Amino acid sequence: MILPATPTAGGDASVPSQSPPAQSPGDDLIELLFFAYRDFVGDPDRILAQYGFGRAHHRVLHFVDRYPGLTIAELLDILRITKQSLNRVLKDLIEQDYIVQKTGTSDRRQRLLFCTARGTALAGDLIRVQTHRVTRALAEPAGAASEGGSSEGGAVSAQNFLLAMIEPEERATVRRLMARRARSAV
Amino acid sequence: MILPATPTAGGDASVPSQSPPAQSPGDDLIELLFFAYRDFVGDPDRILAQYGFGRAHHRVLHFVDRYPGLTIAELLDILRITKQSLNRVLKDLIEQDYIVQKTGTSDRRQRLLFCTARGTALAGDLIRVQTHRVTRALAEPAGAASEGGSSEGGAVSAQNFLLAMIEPEERATVRRLMARRARSAV
DNA sequence: CGGTTTATGTCAGTGTTATTGACATATTTC
DNA sequence: GAAATATGTCAATAACACTGACATAAACCG
């Protein structure tokens, strides 16, 4: 099966769909997750750029820092990328002395990964800005964000958390956008 | 300022750092956000691949579907990408009749974006799989994931939510990984 | 011991998503 | 009419990912 199968109503008309999309309780969370993640990775990105590294380097550095002795296979399973993709960034990090490899003791085929002091320092800087954002989000007074949200179970706190993860100056914009949808969906 | 400035302790030794990284209350959330987002975008990716579209197409389609009449400028502000990047994917979506442009009425420089029936259908399929994951995560019995987590404020539910967002079969692996850190940090 | 599997590394080619910088057009605003 | 705004487009580049194929070393197993 390669193409559509058009599950819903594969319209072919080049006509603007008039019906507004159906609403579902988790819909806000979907968008909030996008915005939260966008800003969440934005902080480290700025630091990484100063080192000539990217997001891929960050992920490798982070997990090796948090879980010293990680093997290549474990890392591949965590990141869900191919060996070739991993090797490209891992090579950078090893050549520039952020990470070292040590041959496994019980299984000498394995390469156990460790951060050097330099690697730990950078990983620390990166996790610091992210921890700051998360900690602030957790400390935010509940409801400082959602206002008139429908309270159902854990939905509210998950929603609050994600909204609080968004860059403060951007929250108004996001809230305004999402309000726009709520209005038109009446 | 282009290079390091080595804020913490720019080690130069190619020696594995022995000290395990310091712990912080939000650290688990940082990793959970990574895993949750990884699986969250994995669902739509599989569908999009059948249409020859990527994640960028998804984001454009989603926001145009949810907010009919969005302008280019608004979309650029939401997605935080450049005009050129947007145009590439937008062109695909327009050429294949998923989105149409209409000249703005009040300001005729603007191009208002709308989904066609076909666009709405695909957007619906995509949001459906994501809503399913979110809804399931919200319905999950609180604590079905965290087990012995430190309860402090909204931390627990945010943590539960993110863990519940992870693909069920992968949760054990994630939990095992994170337990590994908890152990070594004693 | 010898064959198979596992863990890792690497070469070559490709595709998607993003970037920068420069420039063009239409329209609105002052 | 000049300046600012909204959008479109050309060209070059980079980051990050993929596939497929192949190579090496070590472990495992009969």
Side-chain angles (χ1 to χ4, degrees):
Chain A
M1 194 196 296
I2 297 213
L3 253 176
T6 322
T8 28
D12 32 26
S14 308
V15 171
S17 162
Q18 288 302 33
S19 52
Q23 287 282 42
S24 177
D27 284 0
D28 282 351
L29 284 173
I30 290 178
E31 276 163 38
L32 286 173
L33 205 45
F34 167 77
F35 288 116
Y37 200 79
R38 182 194 68 178
D39 292 350
F40 172 67
V41 296
D43 292 329
D45 279 357
R46 264 166 254 129
I47 296 176
L48 290 157
Q50 301 176 346
Y51 292 77
F53 290 145
R55 223 169 269 179
H57 298 91
H58 181 195
R59 295 196 277 257
V60 171
L61 189 62
H62 172 90
F63 283 104
V64 171
D65 178 57
R66 305 304 286 177
Y67 305 100
L70 220 50
T71 66
I72 301 290
E74 287 171 325
L75 202 43
L76 287 177
D77 184 54
I78 290 172
L79 302 178
R80 294 290 162 77
I81 56 176
T82 58
K83 208 174 16 170
Q84 295 86 332
S85 293
L86 173 58
N87 258 6
R88 183 175 38 77
V89 293
L90 187 54
K91 211 171 102 181
D92 291 344
L93 291 167
I94 290 173
E95 280 175 355
Q96 295 174 51
D97 264 324
Y98 289 90
I99 286 180
V100 285
Q101 290 183 324
K102 300 178 82 172
T103 300
T105 47
S106 62
D107 186 337
R108 295 186 40 211
R109 288 172 304 181
Q110 296 181 329
R111 301 299 148 88
L112 310 184
L113 302 170
F114 296 89
C115 273
T116 62
R118 174 195 279 239
T120 298
L122 178 53
D125 287 347
L126 294 169
I127 210 168
R128 201 162 297 124
V129 294
Q130 295 195 299
T131 296
H132 177 257
R133 184 176 291 272
V134 169
T135 306
R136 186 189 57 194
L138 291 176
E140 205 102 346
S146 61
E147 306 299 89
S150 60
S151 327
E152 61 165 283
V156 181
S157 11
Q159 193 162 332
N160 281 344
F161 170 70
L162 292 177
L163 190 36
M165 283 286 288
I166 300 173
E167 192 63 27
E169 292 107 47
E170 312 295 341
R171 283 181 215 164
T173 309
V174 171
R175 226 180 275 134
R176 209 176 309 128
L177 180 74
M178 293 182 36
R180 186 157 141 186
R181 192 181 72 199
R183 220 181 307 128
S184 69
V186 173
Chain B
M1 193 199 292
I2 298 215
L3 253 176
T6 322
T8 28
D12 31 24
S14 310
V15 172
S17 162
Q18 287 303 31
S19 52
Q23 288 282 41
S24 177
D27 284 0
D28 281 352
L29 284 174
I30 291 178
E31 278 164 37
L32 285 174
L33 205 45
F34 166 77
F35 288 115
Y37 199 80
R38 182 194 67 179
D39 292 349
F40 172 66
V41 296
D43 293 329
D45 279 357
R46 262 165 255 128
I47 297 176
L48 291 157
Q50 302 177 345
Y51 292 78
F53 290 145
R55 226 170 267 178
H57 298 92
H58 181 197
R59 295 196 278 254
V60 171
L61 189 62
H62 172 91
F63 282 104
V64 171
D65 178 56
R66 304 305 283 179
Y67 306 99
L70 219 49
T71 67
I72 301 289
E74 287 170 324
L75 202 43
L76 288 177
D77 184 54
I78 288 171
L79 302 177
R80 294 291 163 76
I81 57 175
T82 58
K83 206 175 15 170
Q84 296 85 332
S85 293
L86 173 58
N87 258 6
R88 183 177 38 77
V89 293
L90 188 53
K91 211 170 102 182
D92 293 343
L93 291 167
I94 290 173
E95 281 174 355
Q96 294 174 52
D97 264 322
Y98 290 90
I99 287 180
V100 285
Q101 290 183 323
K102 301 179 82 171
T103 300
T105 46
S106 62
D107 185 338
R108 296 185 38 214
R109 288 171 303 180
Q110 296 181 331
R111 303 298 149 88
L112 310 185
L113 302 171
F114 296 90
C115 273
T116 61
R118 174 195 281 238
T120 298
L122 177 53
D125 287 347
L126 294 169
I127 210 169
R128 200 162 298 123
V129 292
Q130 295 195 299
T131 296
H132 177 256
R133 185 177 289 274
V134 169
T135 305
R136 186 190 57 194
L138 291 175
E140 204 103 345
S146 62
E147 306 298 89
S150 58
S151 328
E152 59 165 285
V156 181
S157 12
Q159 193 162 335
N160 281 344
F161 171 70
L162 292 177
L163 192 37
M165 283 287 288
I166 299 173
E167 191 62 27
E169 292 108 46
E170 311 295 341
R171 282 181 216 165
T173 309
V174 171
R175 226 180 275 135
R176 209 176 309 129
L177 180 73
M178 293 182 35
R180 187 157 141 186
R181 193 181 74 200
R183 220 181 307 128
S184 70
V186 172

